[in-house]
Amino acid sequence: MDIGFIGLGLMGQPMALNLARAGASPVVWNRTAGRSEPLHAAGAAVADSPAEVFRRARVVFLMLADDTAIDSVLERGTPRFGERVARRVIVHMGTTSPAYSSGLEADVLAAGGGYVEAPVSGSRGPAEAGRLVAMLAGRPETVEEVRPLVRPMCHEAIVCGPVPSALLTKLSVNLFLITMVTGLAEAVHFADRHGLDLRLLLEVLGSGPMASDVSRAKALKLVERDFTAQASIADVLKNNRLIAEAARESRVASPLLDACHALFGETLALGHGAADMAAVVRAIEARTESARGPQR
């Protein structure tokens, strides 16, 4: 076993499945064991613990929720950290702060391992289709070793330079995504409250110069009120916070992001954290009702 994959969540499971179906035979682990069953059926080996993954694989992909989960799996800060990462390549595919990734790279390299930052652009649908876009950063020789390994998961792998340039690129992409989907939700809400035929709005939007795979998919979700998660409100809010923190640290203005941050926070507070990011329309609807006041 040469490839390991840890973290089989909303994105990680289809990504690891694409590795397995491409014949990579990864050894996988997930905290919730049931998430590993489709991988086993696809020919992957299922490890009993993260330690087993590191014993059996030289390149280990991590698709984990946050820095706490990554540090836990790597046992960072303990003597076992060096044992896990030495002579291995750690590929960080999740979304964390750029500063965290830079610190992790320094620790991995000091312990004798290799490190590649490889966040991806895309949601569950592209993950299932192997149509994600990977952004790679790290030492050139290590990046080139990892680059062909991501092909079953990503139809593009773009080298961004040294760490943390890939994560900064990912945050830039996510800033555009968040503001675009929020604007789309507001546009659909505006049309709905003016009694327009939302199917006609879909047709106009889908035929015009602003149309994209994302706009078509999210507009359909908004019209059909189908908020099954591809990228959840809670996850998008986490990304929003990371971008806002990076903006504050570098003294970069982010007025549109700040407005979206408030709306996604309100959507979470309304109980829609597990819903798709298009459900941000719930917060916009709540603001409309609040502005109208009690009906007589």
Side-chain angles (χ1 to χ4, degrees), residues 2-6 53-62 74 81-93 104-105 108-109 111-118 136-150 163:
D2 193 48
I3 297 176
F5 198 105
I6 296 177
V53 176
F54 289 100
R55 283 197 304 269
R56 299 174 65 178
R58 203 187 76 78
V59 178
V60 180
F61 291 95
L62 304 178
L74 294 175
F81 173 77
E83 298 170 7
R84 295 201 172 182
V85 305
R87 300 177 301 280
R88 292 173 181 83
V89 177
I90 306 303
V91 185
H92 169 27
M93 300 196 81
L104 180 58
E105 180 195 38
V108 170
L109 294 180
Y115 181 82
V116 172
E117 204 177 66
L136 307 178
R139 292 185 171 180
E141 65 276 12
T142 315
V143 167
E144 288 309 311
E145 180 182 356
V146 168
R147 194 175 187 179
L149 301 181
V150 305
V163 172

Side-chain angles (χ1 to χ4, degrees), residues 94-120:
T95 305
T96 61
S97 74
Y100 169 81
S101 184
S102 294
L104 180 58
E105 180 195 38
D107 288 352
V108 170
L109 294 180
Y115 181 82
V116 172
E117 204 177 66
V120 295

Side-chain angles (χ1 to χ4, degrees), residues 166-216:
L167 270 167
L168 285 168
T169 303
K170 170 67 187 292
L171 295 184
S172 300
V173 170
N174 279 3
L175 196 161
F176 177 50
L177 172 67
I178 291 167
T179 54
M180 178 178 67
V181 172
T182 306
L184 179 63
E186 186 171 333
V188 172
H189 175 65
F190 177 88
D192 181 49
R193 293 307 170 101
H194 282 84
L196 300 182
D197 184 332
L198 296 185
R199 293 288 171 178
L200 289 179
L201 177 65
L202 282 184
E203 185 176 350
V204 172
L205 288 173
S207 302
M210 295 177 294
S212 66
D213 290 345
V214 171
S215 71
R216 290 188 179 98

Side-chain angles (χ1 to χ4, degrees), residues 8-105:
L8 304 175
L10 190 69
M11 294 286 288
Q13 188 190 67
M15 291 167 68
L17 275 169
N18 283 330
L19 274 178
R21 289 165 180 162
S25 301
V27 55
V28 304
W29 181 84
N30 191 69
R31 183 176 58 182
T32 304
R35 300 286 298 174
S36 302
E37 292 174 5
L39 274 298
H40 178 69
V46 178
D48 291 329
S49 66
E52 183 182 349
V53 176
F54 289 100
R55 283 197 304 269
R56 299 174 65 178
R58 203 187 76 78
V59 178
V60 180
F61 291 95
L62 304 178
M63 190 59 177
L64 295 165
D66 52 32
D67 49 5
T68 300
I70 295 169
D71 287 348
S72 176
V73 160
L74 294 175
E75 295 203 61
R76 193 174 175 203
T78 77
R80 290 178 293 280
F81 173 77
E83 298 170 7
R84 295 201 172 182
V85 305
R87 300 177 301 280
R88 292 173 181 83
V89 177
I90 306 303
V91 185
H92 169 27
M93 300 196 81
T95 305
T96 61
S97 74
Y100 169 81
S101 184
S102 294
L104 180 58
E105 180 195 38

